[in-house]
Amino acid sequence: MSALPHAAEQTLQHFREAAGWEQRARLLMQFGDSLAPLADHERDDAHLVAGCESRLWLVGEQHEDRWQFRGTSEARLLRGLLAVLLVRVNGSSAAELQALDVAEWFGQLGLSRQLSPSRANGMNAVIARMHALARQGF
């Protein structure tokens, strides 16, 4: 497995220092609150991720051979989960995105047991959307 991006290493360290679920939940909320807002025209059906219980929008942009994603959700916890996922995937190549094990990343953060099946499915839908965007090349 390749080395984690610097921002992902820092995120992992923050979550490892959290004493329990309450502190990790607070961290998730903080990460979610730090997401840059999407423009109104980006919060449309074309950017809506199917498979999430709450509405979540994802925008992907390719710079050279690396991907940058931005997004948001109406649900605060989902915004936090998205934020820590974006920290892990931003700057990845299409091949690195394909190889990413989302469950392993959330496990490293200590979040796996607290993810409901619907939230886990939502995060899998987000990564599937990232894969689709990377295959399309936009």
Side-chain angles (χ1 to χ4, degrees):
M1 180 174 163
S2 63
L4 290 175
H6 180 69
E9 284 283 359
Q10 289 181 315
T11 299
L12 188 56
Q13 187 62 37
H14 288 300
F15 277 85
R16 284 183 175 159
E17 292 171 358
W21 167 241
E22 286 183 22
Q23 284 188 358
R24 285 192 296 276
R26 200 170 10 258
L27 273 174
L28 270 179
M29 301 305 163
Q30 291 170 351
F31 271 86
D33 291 344
S34 72
L35 287 174
L38 294 181
D40 288 341
H41 73 274
E42 293 173 320
R43 292 174 65 115
D44 62 6
D45 289 346
H47 296 103
L48 195 61
V49 175
C52 294
E53 275 189 16
S54 299
R55 295 195 306 173
L56 183 145
W57 297 270
L58 183 71
V59 177
E61 298 163 343
Q62 189 175 20
H63 302 280
E64 296 180 13
D65 68 337
R66 301 288 169 181
W67 282 89
Q68 291 293 317
F69 296 95
R70 298 178 292 113
T72 193
S73 174
E74 294 173 333
R76 194 165 185 216
L77 185 59
L78 198 51
R79 273 195 311 271
L81 293 170
L82 176 62
V84 296
L85 179 60
L86 294 181
V87 164
R88 176 62 184 89
V89 302
N90 277 340
S92 296
S93 68
E96 289 166 339
L97 282 174
Q98 294 294 329
L100 176 66
D101 183 338
V102 177
E104 179 184 354
W105 173 240
F106 285 113
Q108 288 176 319
L109 295 171
L111 300 173
S112 294
R113 289 190 299 163
Q114 286 77 23
L115 285 179
S116 67
S118 65
R119 287 190 190 115
N121 287 340
M123 287 297 98
N124 286 328
V126 170
I127 198 74
R129 174 68 180 207
M130 290 174 175
H131 290 167
L133 289 171
R135 279 192 306 273
Q136 294 169 3
F138 73 99

